[in-house]
Amino acid sequence: MLTKGLVYYNGVEAAVLEKRDGTYIFRYLSAYLSTPGARPVSITLPLQAAEYRSVHLFPFFANLLSEGVNKRLQCLKWKIDEQDYFSLLLQIAQEETIGAITVKPITE
């Protein structure tokens, strides 16, 4: 199971999102933070060196997910539990999302 994703802002590596021991962790890459004109991926995740932690998938990322029938069909297609928001995010947000953010799985 994939537990990390690389978050891109307009195609630029910006942050890492991971799920570890039931906790979601989001942290900006130091290289991105030092980039002139760097922008936060969301107003709810302002630029900072410290990581963000949550027991729920951050709402910004949860809002990238489909709902209803589309979500069910995606889960069936990729054999993902409908409650596994993180795995679904890593599957569907790799390209062509609405907006500037994409999330690509990190395989270790």
Side-chain angles (χ1 to χ4, degrees):
M1 178 191 326
L2 298 171
T3 58
K4 284 187 183 181
L6 189 55
V7 179
Y8 292 80
Y9 186 96
N10 281 329
V12 176
E13 294 179 358
V16 172
L17 177 65
E18 68 179 292
K19 184 177 182 183
R20 184 181 342 136
D21 299 326
T23 300
Y24 294 93
I25 302 163
F26 175 87
R27 68 181 167 284
Y28 286 101
L29 301 172
S30 57
Y32 184 75
L33 290 172
S34 64
T35 301
R39 301 190 53 164
V41 301
S42 165
I43 60 171
T44 60
L45 297 166
L47 293 175
Q48 67 178 35
E51 64 187 24
Y52 292 89
R53 290 179 166 263
S54 175
V55 295
H56 303 285
L57 182 60
F58 299 96
F60 172 78
F61 293 104
N63 285 328
L64 294 176
L65 300 174
S66 297
E67 296 176 341
V69 173
N70 287 338
K71 178 183 174 187
R72 279 192 291 281
L73 291 173
Q74 290 168 339
C75 289
L76 282 171
K77 177 180 180 179
W78 292 301
K79 297 177 176 68
I80 297 172
D81 183 294
E82 286 189 40
Q83 300 304 311
D84 187 352
Y85 300 125
F86 193 72
S87 293
L88 187 57
L89 176 73
L90 292 180
Q91 183 64 48
I92 62 116
Q94 294 183 41
E95 53 190 46
E96 298 181 23
T97 60
I98 296 173
I101 305 303
T102 53
V103 184
K104 299 188 179 184
I106 297 173
T107 54
E108 297 179 330

